[in-house]
Structures are given as C-alpha cells and as structure tokens.
Amino acid sequence: MFHKMDRVKVENPRARVIVVKEIFDPNGEALLGAVATVGGPRAHLGCLQLMCDIASSAQLSRPMQADLERRHQLLAKARTVGAAHDDETDRSREEVGHMTDRLTELLEEIGPAGRKVDLSEWLVRRA
C-alpha cells in the first residue's frame, strides 16, 4: 500500500525529517523491496541503514538527503531500464514505479539537499 502526500514545501530540517519519517512508516517495507529488487542485497542494506539513521535523527542532514536522492535515482533508472526489458515481472516493475513516484513527491516536498560547497578557494587561502 502506498500513501500519497500533500504538496507543501518544507524548509525546516527538523520538519523535513518528520515528513520523511511519515513516508517511511507506511512505505518503508515497499521501499526496501523495490531497492532490493533493483540494486540487490548491498542496496537493500544501504537503504535499511538510511532508514535507521533517519529514524534515530532529530533533523534531516545533507548526507541523509543526498542518500535519499541516490535511492530515487536508482529506482528512476531501473524504471526506465525495466520499461525497455521484459525480464522483470509486472508486479516488481509496478512496485518500483510506485516507489519512484513516492520518492519524487517526497524530494519535491523537502526540496534539494543543498548546494555543493566548493572549498578549493578557501583551502588555497589557508595554504
């Protein structure tokens, strides 16, 4: 079962983690299954670790959000590759598609992970 979200942008990192937890609660098992189907045991373990980190965190950090974005990219890539190949079952392809949609909505709601910081200029000045 997949639960839809409201389309409201969340700016506060503490509120972001609450939104993510609310999505992972009903959809966590489906997310783990979709990631395992696409990426295998290693991806499954990484997703499980991300879910544990988020569950025990008071706010959503940039690395956690970047990891969420990587999971989304994995599922989105598998969705496009799976559409071209018939080696997956229809049910697993449908599950990956639903989780890709849920993660897309989640990432739209919580916004980007933040800009990448270029420390090269600062390091040159410090040298």
Side-chain angles (χ1 to χ4, degrees):
M1 172 181 259
F2 300 97
H3 297 274
K4 289 262 187 187
M5 301 181 326
D6 298 330
R7 298 255 187 205
V8 178
K9 189 113 174 167
V10 178
E11 300 293 331
N12 185 335
R14 290 182 188 268
R16 285 180 178 176
V17 77
I18 293 169
V19 170
V20 174
K21 287 177 183 180
E22 288 176 352
I23 296 305
F24 278 5
D25 186 40
N27 298 317
E29 192 173 321
L31 176 61
L32 286 171
V35 167
T37 299
V38 172
R42 189 173 188 167
H44 179 267
L45 184 62
C47 188
L48 186 59
Q49 182 63 52
L50 172 65
M51 291 173 71
C52 290
D53 290 345
I54 289 173
S56 64
S57 180
Q59 67 181 24
L60 190 66
S61 67
R62 284 186 198 171
M64 282 186 246
Q65 190 163 347
D67 201 6
L68 261 176
E69 291 172 1
R70 282 192 296 276
R71 302 295 164 207
H72 176 258
Q73 290 169 356
L74 173 70
L75 293 178
K77 183 177 180 181
R79 184 183 207 179
T80 57
V81 170
H85 294 47
D86 289 332
D87 58 350
E88 292 183 281
T89 65
D90 288 337
R91 181 158 169 75
S92 65
R93 186 178 305 135
E94 184 178 323
E95 183 177 316
V96 168
H98 284 302
M99 283 314 306
T100 304
D101 293 341
R102 296 298 77 75
L103 284 178
T104 300
E105 291 173 4
L106 174 65
L107 291 173
E108 286 175 1
E109 185 172 348
I110 62 176
R115 60 185 172 91
K116 295 187 176 160
V117 179
D118 182 18
L119 297 177
S120 60
E121 186 177 317
W122 179 80
L123 290 171
V124 168
R125 282 186 276 154
R126 298 283 297 173

